[in-house]
Amino acid sequence: MALNYNIREIRELSELLTKETSLPFNQISQSFLKRRLYLFGEKKGLKKNEQLTDGLSNSEFKDDLINSVVVPVTELFRDPGTWRKIREHLLSLSNQSSISVWIPQVSTGEELYTLLIIGKEIGVIDKLDILVGYCSSGFMKLVQKGLVSSKKMEINQYNYKRFEGKSSLNDYMSEEGTTLQLGTDYLSRIQFKKGCVTTGKPDKQVDLILFRNIMLYYKKEYHTILKEEIDECLKPGGWLCLGAKEQLPSSYEDRFECFDEKEKIYIKFNALTH
């Protein structure tokens, strides 16, 4: 029988995990955390709750636990309409010497690779300055390799077709056994920073923030902290892209305009003109 925690135990464990990992486990929805820990226990063959807490002393075990809790993105060009809009935004910034992008929390590389492919297609790849926040070393190493599972390639190709790209995804990748690998030259535009939003912020304001389908897993009271951090890091006129089921509350209407309700794209007001 796999691990099973009651509410009190989940609350105590979330505080312990926050202390041990410096990541906001105590801000994750308890029902979501309980489900992910149950799946982790099944994968590891854990029978007692104490086995999980004892395992935290092992860095590899701890990293694997973080990997199990952070939900992966599994598709390139997921929500093609959003990426078409992002392409327009990047084109509008093409006269700048640098286009800064922050992806606060990356679990797998699909969104990052999508951004790089778009940059290549519209001729701004050499201008992209991308900061990627990661939660575990295992994820960072995977992302740095540019690996994409070939099992999802049919969906990836379909998304790319709907995105109306200029070429074929196969033109950007080389066959590597059971995976497809994005050329490593694309990855030179990326800086990796360990942390999660509040601990992995950029040193300067950026033009674009991709924070899609992340807030769903955090407690609602933590959303305000996340949004304040995002607001602080975004340039006036910059874009914030959330997930289709996420939105900024009405209290942010004096700072952000919802540019696209369907795709959940927000523009930060320029204080000089608003």
Side-chain angles (χ1 to χ4, degrees), residues 210-221:
L210 299 177
F211 196 57
R212 304 201 310 143
N213 305 308
I214 303 296
M215 289 194 296
L216 294 171
Y217 307 108
Y218 287 112
K219 299 174 183 177
K220 287 188 176 181
E221 53 267 30

Side-chain angles (χ1 to χ4, degrees), residues 112-113 116 128-132 143 186-192:
L112 173 61
Y113 306 153
L116 292 169
L128 290 178
D129 178 12
I130 306 170
L131 176 65
V132 172
V143 170
Y186 287 81
L187 304 178
S188 63
R189 310 304 305 171
I190 306 165
Q191 174 189 352
F192 292 92

Side-chain angles (χ1 to χ4, degrees), residues 73 75-86 111 114 118 155 159-160 162-163 212-213 242-245 262-263 265:
V73 177
E75 300 173 21
L76 292 167
F77 292 91
R78 182 180 179 184
D79 304 321
T82 298
W83 292 108
R84 289 196 296 269
K85 295 292 184 180
I86 290 173
E111 290 216 324
T114 298
I118 293 174
I155 295 174
N159 288 344
Y160 181 75
R162 290 178 58 208
F163 165 73
R212 304 201 310 143
N213 305 308
L242 300 180
K245 296 181 180 180
K262 179 182 178 182
E263 307 297 346
I265 300 175

Side-chain angles (χ1 to χ4, degrees), residues 215 219-231 249 251-252 255:
M215 289 194 296
K219 299 174 183 177
K220 287 188 176 181
E221 53 267 30
Y222 190 55
H223 289 185
T224 299
I225 296 174
L226 294 174
K227 291 163 186 171
E228 290 292 339
E229 297 287 356
I230 286 170
D231 184 12
S251 59
Y252 284 80
R255 284 179 276 175

Side-chain angles (χ1 to χ4, degrees), residues 94-158:
S94 60
N95 290 330
Q96 295 183 179
S97 59
S98 175
I99 302 172
S100 52
V101 183
W102 181 34
I103 310 179
Q105 183 174 313
V106 164
S107 53
T108 53
E110 279 79 358
E111 290 216 324
L112 173 61
Y113 306 153
T114 298
L115 180 68
L116 292 169
I117 290 171
I118 293 174
K120 180 68 173 180
E121 289 197 347
I122 64 175
V124 301
I125 186 71
D126 292 333
K127 295 186 176 184
L128 290 178
D129 178 12
I130 306 170
L131 176 65
V132 172
Y134 67 96
C135 297
S136 75
S137 300
F139 273 143
M140 184 193 69
K141 292 175 182 177
L142 181 65
V143 170
Q144 285 179 320
K145 291 179 180 178
L147 297 177
V148 179
S149 171
S150 60
K151 295 179 181 179
K152 290 287 185 179
M153 285 310 297
E154 185 175 342
I155 295 174
N156 294 336
Q157 296 281 12
Y158 176 67

Side-chain angles (χ1 to χ4, degrees), residues 28-71:
I28 294 176
S29 161
Q30 289 186 358
S31 59
F32 173 75
L33 181 59
K34 181 178 181 179
R35 184 165 64 254
R36 301 303 289 189
L37 291 178
Y38 176 85
L39 294 173
F40 177 74
E42 279 197 324
K43 183 179 74 171
K44 289 289 191 180
L46 304 181
K47 304 299 182 182
K48 298 180 180 179
N49 297 347
E50 293 79 9
Q51 289 177 284
L52 188 145
T53 53
D54 292 344
L56 293 176
S57 59
N58 181 284
S59 59
E60 186 175 338
F61 181 94
K62 187 190 301 185
D63 212 50
D64 198 15
L65 172 60
I66 296 171
N67 290 351
S68 297
V69 173
V70 179
V71 177

